[in-house]
Amino acid sequence: MNDVDRSIAPAEVGHLARAVLDAVGTVVVGKRDALELVLAGILAGGHVLLEDLPGLGKTLTARSFAQALGLDFRRLQFTPDLLPADVTGSFLYDQRNGDFTFRAGPVFTNLLLADEINRTPPKTQSALLEAMQEKQVSVEGVTYKLDEPFHVLATANPIEYEGTYPLPEAQLDRFLLRVSFGYPQHEEEWEVLRRRMSRRREEADIKAVVDAATLRAMQAALEDVVVEDSIGRYIVSLTAATREHPSVLVGASPRGSLALLLLARVRAVFGGRDYVVPEDVKSVAAPALAHRITLRPEMWLRRVDPAFVVGEVLEATPAPASGALPSYAAGGPRH
């Protein structure tokens, strides 16, 4: 069922989003900012790349969001010998019917965890491209539509980690944002141990806060979040500035501008507003743009981080006045 079952207001989206984050936070300890970014990527209709060292809760995060959002969930472990057909599915000969039948792969789900996506060669990585962009799969000339919602949460070890392959630029660009968790604080890590002892088992289950139909309604409600022309031009200026930075070989594409727009809308809803302010854009600039930037070779030798480039772009690009809000904004007079 692809149509939205009911209509909800942006204010309700914010309320439901906080409930989802609270539920996931009962399992994933002390990563509220990162969790908000992951949920923002899902609400914005995109895919999220979780890039960090092993053991920092990336897989747990994906499973927890699937449970809290009431989504069908599958996990695909990427390995060096994984084939594209292992992702999309393939035709198999049915001896009873004397014909070939299609056996769907794990990509046919609502939330796909592509675990350690950069441990498999680029040919298999690219098998996800059509599904991520077009939400369909083509196998031997036959096209199959994926049910909505469809989102990929991919985990990746850092590029310099042993036994990994760099993700192709085309595939990186199809991730709405990239999120890193980092090591927990001392008290946070102790809280992880304490909760494990308290539940007396390894698995941690979360009750669904919403379902797939409600998630689709939440995503549709974001279209009602207002983006003033000045904010839109600010987004374009930020993205264009990454292409002109002296440390950058290839800057963010227009898809980066679109990512900023979509994620800023979600940030506005998180803030209880139905309009976007410059701070919403700034808060998602690094996660949305850094992975779309290719630095000059000499910058890698100097250990320059693309996120640092985004930070310099933010400082150098004048932001519009955040007081220029639409008259029909939340809490304001309506005409």
Side-chain angles (χ1 to χ4, degrees):
M1 188 173 181
N2 293 325
D3 56 332
V4 177
D5 293 77
R6 67 187 184 97
S7 176
I8 62 178
E12 187 179 352
V13 176
H15 174 74
L16 292 172
R18 286 188 290 273
V20 169
L21 289 168
D22 290 342
V24 175
T26 63
V27 175
V28 183
V29 180
K31 301 296 179 185
R32 185 77 176 201
D33 291 344
L35 294 178
E36 285 186 0
L37 287 171
V38 174
L39 182 57
I42 294 173
L43 289 176
H47 312 287
V48 182
L49 178 63
L50 307 174
E51 188 177 270
D52 224 323
L53 296 168
L56 296 182
K58 301 184 296 295
T59 303
L60 177 63
T61 295
R63 185 183 301 111
S64 299
F65 270 115
Q67 292 175 345
L69 294 170
L71 300 179
D72 182 44
F73 173 73
R74 292 190 183 183
R75 174 181 180 273
L76 180 60
Q77 180 66 49
F78 279 72
T79 58
D81 59 349
L82 196 73
L83 300 175
D86 297 326
V87 177
T88 61
S90 60
F91 283 92
L92 299 177
Y93 185 73
D94 189 338
Q95 293 183 344
R96 290 177 297 179
N97 299 328
D99 198 2
F100 287 90
T101 59
F102 179 68
R103 179 173 295 179
V107 75
F108 287 86
T109 187
N110 295 136
L111 186 64
L112 174 67
L113 171 59
D115 212 357
E116 295 188 298
I117 190 174
N118 62 338
R119 284 202 176 278
T120 197
K123 183 177 181 181
T124 303
Q125 293 174 4
S126 65
L128 276 177
L129 283 179
E130 182 183 14
M132 292 172 63
Q133 185 64 26
E134 306 296 336
K135 297 189 178 180
Q136 66 182 29
V137 169
S138 297
V139 180
E140 297 187 16
V142 182
T143 299
Y144 300 91
K145 286 286 185 181
L146 300 175
D147 291 336
E148 294 184 2
F150 171 72
H151 302 280
V152 174
L153 296 188
T155 71
N157 296 322
I159 297 303
E160 67 271 17
Y161 199 80
E162 182 180 357
T164 63
Y165 299 82
L167 290 174
E169 287 79 2
Q171 187 164 348
L172 274 174
D173 204 31
R174 280 164 174 79
F175 284 103
L176 196 66
L177 74 167
R178 180 176 62 184
V179 181
S180 297
F181 280 26
Y183 285 109
Q185 300 295 323
H186 182 86
E187 288 301 319
E188 294 171 350
E189 192 164 358
W190 160 239
E191 181 65 15
V192 171
L193 303 184
R194 191 192 65 78
R195 293 186 186 184
R196 170 60 180 85
M197 291 185 291
S198 176
R199 65 176 178 265
R200 303 177 65 87
R201 58 191 178 91
E202 186 64 30
E203 296 79 14
D205 295 325
I206 298 175
K207 292 184 179 180
V209 177
V210 299
D211 56 17
T214 304
L215 175 60
R216 293 196 299 270
M218 293 168 69
Q219 293 170 334
L222 292 172
E223 296 299 326
D224 294 328
V225 177
V226 176
V227 181
E228 290 286 276
D229 288 352
S230 61
I231 302 293
R233 292 182 180 278
Y234 177 56
I235 288 173
V236 172
S237 296
L238 285 175
T239 308
T242 66
R243 305 164 196 159
E244 301 167 359
H245 195 281
S247 300
V248 173
L249 183 63
V250 179
S253 70
R255 193 178 278 126
S257 295
L258 182 60
L260 280 178
L261 170 68
L262 298 175
L263 291 170
R265 278 177 161 178
V266 181
R267 276 297 192 184
V269 169
F270 284 177
R273 288 173 278 101
D274 62 357
Y275 55 90
V276 174
V277 297
E279 287 70 21
D280 297 324
V281 179
K282 294 176 182 179
S283 68
V284 296
L289 297 180
H291 65 291
R292 306 175 195 274
I293 294 174
T294 302
L295 296 176
R296 296 185 180 277
E298 59 269 26
M299 294 299 107
W300 288 108
L301 297 176
R302 299 177 188 175
R303 297 186 179 274
V304 174
D305 192 305
F308 175 77
V309 172
V310 176
E312 289 193 334
V313 165
L314 284 171
E315 291 183 3
T317 305
S322 59
L325 304 178
S327 59
Y328 49 87
R334 295 181 180 271
H335 300 287

